[in-house]
Amino acid sequence: MSAFEDSTTAIDGLYAVALKSTIVGTVVVPGDPNYSASRQIFSRQFQDLPQFIVYCEVFDDVRKSLQFARRHNLWAVIRSGGHSTAGYSTNNAMVIDVSGLSYVVVDAAQRQAVVGAGTRFEKIDAALDTFGLHVPGGSCGSVAVAGFMQGGGYGLTSREFGMNCDNVIDATLMLHDGSLVVASADENSDLFWAIRGGTGNNFVFCFRSPISFTSFP
Ligand SMILES: Cc1cc2nc3c(=O)[nH]c(=O)nc-3n(C[C@H](O)[C@H](O)[C@H](O)COP(=O)(O)OP(=O)(O)OC[C@H]3O[C@@H](n4cnc5c(N)ncnc54)[C@H](O)[C@@H]3O)c2cc1C
C-alpha cells in the first residue's frame, strides 16, 4: 500500500508467531518448507523475498496484518491471484494474501453473484456455467477477480458485454486505517470509480463484490 513506504528493515521472524496467534489464517516466513512456493507470483521475473506472507481467511486477518505492518514499519502489498504483470503483489517486506477469500454465491433469479476478492476465474466460470450465466473474465483461469476487476478486466466477450468492471454493483473495501466501507455508484462513488480500472490497484483492500451477469447465449 502506498501508505507504507518501502521498508527493508529486518524484523525478527519470531514476530510471525505473535501475528499468527492473532489471526485465523497463517503466516509463512523465510525458512518455512513452503516459503519458496508461497513467495512466487505468476511472472518469474519478480523474485522478491518477503519477510512475512500472511494468508488471510477472514476480513479481520487483513486488518490485523495492516496493524502489524504499521507497528513494524513494513511496506505491505496485497495479493489475490498473483498475476500482476508489473510485480505489484510482491515485495521484500510483507505480502497480504487474500486467496483464501474465495467463494461465489450465485443468485440466479437476480442474475447476480457475490464473489470474494481472491476468487479465481476458473471457479467463477464453473459456478456461473451451472446457471447459464456469464461475466467477461480473464483468458487465464488462475487470474483472480480483485486484481482483474481493478485493472478494468478485458475478456473475450467484452465487445459484447463490456469490461468486467462495468458489471460490478458495489464493493466492500478496507481503508488504510482498517475500517470497512461499501463503495457503489451512490455511496463513496469516488472510491467506486477508483477501484474499477482507475488506480493501478493497491489503493484500498477490496474484499467482496456483487456482480451482475448476463445470460450467455
Ligand atoms: C497469464 C495472464 C493472463 C491474463 N489475461 C488477461 C485478460 O485476458 N484480460 C485482462 O484484462 N487482463 C489479463 N491479465 C492481467 C491481469 O488481469 C492483471 O494482472 C490482474 O491485475 C491480475 O489480478 P490478480 O488478482 O490475479 O493478481 P495480483 O498480482 O494478486 O494483483 C494484481 C494487483 O492488484 C492488487 N490487488 C490484488 N488483490 C487486491 C485486493 N483484494 N484489493 C486491492 N488490491 C488488490 C495487487 O496488489 C496488484 O497491484 C492477465 C495476466 C496474466 C499473467
Side-chain angles (χ1 to χ4, degrees), residues 42 77-85 88-89 98 117 137-140 142-144 146-148 150 153-155 200-202 204-206:
F42 183 89
V77 292
I78 190 160
R79 182 175 75 188
S80 285
H83 281 60
S84 171
T85 47
Y88 289 161
S89 53
V98 293
S139 58
C140 173
S142 51
V143 167
F148 184 76
Q150 288 185 88
Y154 185 82
N201 306 349
N202 252 320
V204 286
F205 291 107
C206 179

Side-chain angles (χ1 to χ4, degrees), residues 28 34-41 53 55 79 95 97:
V28 174
N34 52 348
Y35 177 74
S36 274
S38 297
R39 74 175 178 83
Q40 186 61 60
I41 63 169
I53 304 166
Y55 285 94
R79 182 175 75 188
V95 172
D97 184 292

Side-chain angles (χ1 to χ4, degrees), residues 37 45 47 104:
Q45 73 195 92
Q47 293 297 333
V104 188

Side-chain angles (χ1 to χ4, degrees), residues 14-36:
L14 282 176
Y15 282 111
V17 178
L19 176 60
K20 206 177 204 167
S21 70
T22 66
I23 64 171
V24 179
T26 189
V27 184
V28 174
V29 294
D32 285 350
N34 52 348
Y35 177 74
S36 274

Side-chain angles (χ1 to χ4, degrees), residues 74-175:
L74 286 167
W75 174 31
V77 292
I78 190 160
R79 182 175 75 188
S80 285
H83 281 60
S84 171
T85 47
Y88 289 161
S89 53
T90 184
N91 67 11
N92 289 315
M94 180 184 242
V95 172
I96 300 176
D97 184 292
V98 293
S99 57
L101 303 178
S102 170
Y103 54 84
V104 188
V105 183
V106 180
D107 180 342
Q110 295 294 321
R111 301 200 332 184
Q112 292 180 7
V114 177
V115 295
T119 316
R120 297 176 166 213
F121 273 96
E122 57 203 4
K123 183 184 275 189
I124 295 176
D125 290 342
L128 297 184
D129 281 353
T130 309
F131 299 98
L133 297 173
H134 172 77
V135 71
S139 58
C140 173
S142 51
V143 167
V145 67
F148 184 76
M149 177 268 285
Q150 288 185 88
Y154 185 82
L156 293 174
T157 58
S158 284
R159 287 184 69 173
E160 192 160 357
F161 303 124
M163 304 286 280
N164 181 275
C165 67
D166 296 332
N167 296 279
V168 174
I169 299 165
D170 64 50
T172 303
L173 309 171
M174 182 174 285
L175 306 182

